[in-house]
Coordinates of all heavy atoms in Angstrom, one line a residue:
A409 N 6.7 -16.6 -10.5 CA 6.8 -18.0 -10.4 C 6.2 -18.6 -9.1 O 5.4 -19.5 -9.1 CB 8.3 -18.5 -10.5
V410 N 6.4 -17.8 -8.0 CA 5.7 -18.2 -6.8 C 4.3 -18.0 -6.8 O 3.5 -18.9 -6.4 CB 6.3 -17.3 -5.6 CG1 5.6 -17.6 -4.3 CG2 7.8 -17.5 -5.4
A411 N 3.7 -17.0 -7.5 CA 2.4 -16.8 -7.7 C 1.7 -17.9 -8.5 O 0.6 -18.2 -8.3 CB 2.1 -15.4 -8.3
E412 N 2.5 -18.4 -9.5 CA 2.0 -19.5 -10.4 C 2.2 -20.9 -9.7 O 1.7 -21.8 -10.4 CB 2.6 -19.4 -11.7 CG 2.2 -18.0 -12.4 CD 3.1 -17.7 -13.6 OE1 3.9 -18.6 -14.0 OE2 3.0 -16.6 -14.1
G413 N 2.9 -21.0 -8.7 CA 3.2 -22.3 -8.0 C 4.3 -23.0 -8.5 O 4.5 -24.2 -8.2
T414 N 5.1 -22.4 -9.5 CA 6.3 -23.1 -10.0 C 7.5 -22.8 -9.1 O 8.6 -23.4 -9.4 CB 6.6 -22.7 -11.4 OG1 6.7 -21.3 -11.5 CG2 5.3 -23.1 -12.3
A415 N 7.5 -22.0 -8.1 CA 8.5 -21.7 -7.1 C 7.7 -21.4 -5.9 O 6.6 -21.3 -5.8 CB 9.3 -20.5 -7.6
S416 N 8.5 -21.4 -4.8 CA 7.9 -21.1 -3.4 C 9.0 -20.5 -2.6 O 10.2 -20.4 -2.9 CB 7.4 -22.4 -2.8 OG 8.5 -23.2 -2.4
M417 N 8.5 -20.0 -1.5 CA 9.5 -19.4 -0.4 C 10.6 -20.4 0.0 O 11.6 -20.0 0.4 CB 8.7 -18.9 0.8 CG 7.8 -17.7 0.4 SD 8.7 -16.3 -0.3 CE 7.2 -15.4 -1.0
E418 N 10.3 -21.7 -0.1 CA 11.2 -22.7 0.3 C 12.4 -22.6 -0.6 O 13.6 -23.0 -0.2 CB 10.6 -24.1 0.1 CG 11.5 -25.3 0.5 CD 11.9 -25.3 1.9 OE1 11.1 -24.8 2.8 OE2 13.0 -25.7 2.2
D419 N 12.3 -22.1 -1.8 CA 13.5 -21.9 -2.7 C 14.5 -20.9 -2.1 O 15.6 -20.8 -2.6 CB 13.1 -21.5 -4.1 CG 12.3 -22.6 -4.9 OD1 12.7 -23.8 -4.8 OD2 11.1 -22.3 -5.3
L420 N 14.0 -20.1 -1.2 CA 14.9 -19.1 -0.7 C 15.5 -19.5 0.7 O 16.2 -18.7 1.3 CB 14.1 -17.8 -0.3 CG 13.5 -17.1 -1.6 CD1 12.7 -15.9 -1.1 CD2 14.5 -16.7 -2.6
R421 N 15.4 -20.8 1.0 CA 15.9 -21.4 2.3 C 17.5 -21.1 2.3 O 17.9 -20.7 3.4 CB 15.6 -22.8 2.4 CG 16.3 -23.4 3.6 CD 15.8 -24.9 3.8 NE 14.4 -25.0 4.2 CZ 13.9 -24.8 5.4 NH1 14.7 -24.6 6.5 NH2 12.6 -24.9 5.6
E422 N 18.2 -21.5 1.4 CA 19.7 -21.4 1.4 C 20.1 -20.0 1.6 O 20.9 -19.7 2.6 CB 20.3 -22.0 0.2 CG 21.9 -22.0 0.2 CD 22.5 -22.6 -0.8 OE1 22.4 -22.1 -2.0 OE2 23.1 -23.7 -0.7
P423 N 19.7 -19.0 0.9 CA 20.1 -17.6 1.1 C 19.6 -17.2 2.5 O 20.4 -16.4 3.1 CB 19.5 -16.8 0.0 CG 18.5 -17.7 -0.6 CD 18.9 -19.1 -0.4
L424 N 18.4 -17.5 3.0 CA 18.0 -17.1 4.3 C 18.9 -17.7 5.4 O 19.3 -17.1 6.4 CB 16.5 -17.6 4.5 CG 15.5 -16.8 3.8 CD1 14.1 -17.4 3.9 CD2 15.4 -15.3 4.2
E425 N 19.3 -19.0 5.2 CA 20.2 -19.6 6.2 C 21.6 -18.9 6.1 O 22.2 -18.7 7.2 CB 20.4 -21.1 5.8 CG 19.1 -21.9 6.1 CD 19.2 -23.4 5.7 OE1 20.1 -23.6 4.8 OE2 18.4 -24.2 6.2

Side-chain angles (χ1 to χ4, degrees):
V410 176
E412 294 165 10
T414 56
S416 72
M417 295 300 161
E418 182 63 32
D419 294 313
L420 298 177
R421 175 175 293 276
E422 184 175 68
L424 287 171
E425 290 176 341

